[in-house]
Amino acid sequence: MNAPTPVRLGSWPTPLEPMPRLGVHLGLGPDDLWIKRDDLFGLGGGGNKARKLERTMAQAMQWGADVVITSGAPQSNHARLTAAAGARLGLPVVLVLEGVDPDTESGNLLLDRMLGAHLVWAGEVDGEGLEAAVQAEADAAASTGRKAGIIPFGGSNAVGAGAYEEAGRELLHQMPTLDRVVVAVGSGGTMAGLVSALGPDRVTGVDTGAVPDAVERVLGLWQALDPSAGGTATDLVVRDDLVGRGYGVLSDDIREAMQLFARTEGVILDPVYTGRAGAGLISGVREGTITAGERTVFLHSGGLPGLFGHADVSPWRDVPPRD
């Protein structure tokens, strides 16, 4: 079956904007640091998963799916955007989520319900257990005569990653003098697509702890997109020092990054993905791997709704206001 024509779920290109105050604060030049605003994509609260869904939803429709099933953590941005894409396209969506049904819903969970998704709680399971729960839902749909289209965790397969290969070319068109992109690594598809378009030396990934094998996942998707590249794991630049105590757990480095982006540029990061990527960017400048005179782009992959679903993100009451 040929690759499907992507469905249109928003407007491209997303903006590329300078961040002079943050750049200067970190010791870079005023024209060195930029931000690619994939958080401003309009569908369902925005974020990088929307690019992938233009392709993965088109594939599900090409298969003849009359229900779409995907999976994620309770505050999954991918799950929220899949629900939004289903609403836009008129397809029912089932979200299979890790854990148990909470007493109260906030953040992405609240939006999942608002967007009309059916939530299924898989319990405390690992990745294989979550996949099994997804397959059980697909089998249940088949038993009633329905055809399920399964979209993988994070939307990260070769079809979804191809959206970020295209995004890398979009970014080069906006900034031909680009030296580096810093991006959060969750399920791997976003970084893999950027590496395929830009080369591994221009992409720095920051592992968020979403999967236990982030480098291997990025490598596999990169190889699927560009088998002729001959890439290996040692070619990839993936920081794993910001995972801290685990996925979804706020650290001091993440908190600092969230505060600096907010108070210098008015940009809000989330505590799981972009907060870690922001911390990786700041660490790179302080360590000297990101230097003045180079054009560095921070890819903002969205996630703002999830900020309101994390209980450990305490108010900033103890931090004085800006001067």
Side-chain angles (χ1 to χ4, degrees):
M1 184 178 289
N2 295 328
T5 301
V7 295
R8 193 70 168 172
L9 296 174
S11 299
W12 309 111
T14 54
L16 179 67
E17 301 171 349
M19 292 198 291
R21 294 191 69 244
L22 179 57
V24 170
H25 178 89
L26 295 175
L28 303 176
D31 198 39
D32 290 343
L33 187 58
W34 294 70
I35 183 169
K36 176 68 167 163
R37 300 300 302 265
D38 273 15
D39 60 316
L40 297 183
F41 184 89
L43 180 75
N48 65 323
K49 306 301 184 181
R51 285 191 189 262
K52 299 176 184 181
L53 283 161
E54 289 196 331
R55 296 175 178 232
T56 54
M57 291 294 278
Q59 185 178 57
M61 293 168 70
Q62 188 182 52
W63 289 335
D66 53 17
V67 61
V68 171
I69 306 173
T70 196
S71 60
Q75 288 296 330
S76 168
N77 297 305
H78 165 67
R80 180 245 309 164
L81 280 168
T82 302
R88 174 75 65 86
L89 298 171
L91 279 173
V93 172
V94 177
L95 304 178
V96 180
L97 305 178
E98 301 168 2
V100 296
D101 194 354
D103 294 332
T104 60
E105 293 176 348
S106 59
N108 279 319
L109 276 177
L110 185 151
L111 296 179
D112 294 340
R113 297 282 194 195
M114 184 182 299
L115 291 161
H118 174 61
L119 274 56
V120 174
W121 294 94
E124 301 303 325
V125 294
D126 59 11
E128 290 184 359
L130 194 61
E131 289 181 6
V134 169
Q135 188 58 53
E137 289 301 314
D139 293 343
S143 70
T144 63
R146 308 192 76 179
K147 186 171 184 179
I150 297 176
I151 295 178
F153 179 86
S156 288
N157 55 15
V159 171
Y164 266 89
E165 186 175 36
E166 181 180 352
R169 292 192 291 266
E170 174 184 299
L171 185 53
L172 277 178
H173 180 75
Q174 292 173 309
M175 182 178 284
T177 57
L178 168 74
D179 291 297
R180 179 184 295 100
V181 179
V182 178
V183 61
V185 179
S187 52
T190 299
M191 181 177 179
L194 292 173
V195 167
S196 184
L198 305 175
D201 56 323
R202 289 201 282 186
V203 183
T204 297
V206 182
D207 187 1
T208 63
V211 295
D213 54 348
V215 173
E216 288 76 11
R217 294 214 184 195
V218 173
L219 177 61
L221 290 166
W222 175 27
Q223 292 174 337
L225 286 173
D226 190 1
S228 64
T232 67
T234 57
D235 295 322
L236 297 171
V237 181
V238 179
R239 297 187 63 128
D240 61 3
D241 57 326
L242 277 306
V243 173
R245 290 186 291 125
Y247 177 81
V249 180
L250 184 68
S251 69
D252 290 342
D253 290 330
I254 299 169
R255 184 181 174 90
E256 179 195 19
M258 293 172 69
Q259 181 172 314
L260 277 178
F261 272 71
R263 295 194 170 195
T264 60
E265 298 291 348
V267 171
I268 307 301
L269 306 182
D270 81 290
V272 178
Y273 295 100
T274 53
R276 276 189 171 83
L281 169 70
I282 293 166
S283 294
V285 175
R286 290 172 177 169
E287 295 164 1
T289 57
I290 297 175
T291 60
E294 296 181 334
R295 287 284 181 88
T296 296
V297 174
F298 178 84
L299 191 141
H300 195 319
S301 54
L304 175 60
L307 172 64
F308 304 107
H310 286 269
D312 59 349
V313 182
S314 58
W316 259 254
R317 292 183 180 180
D318 57 329
V319 181
R322 290 186 296 107
D323 292 335

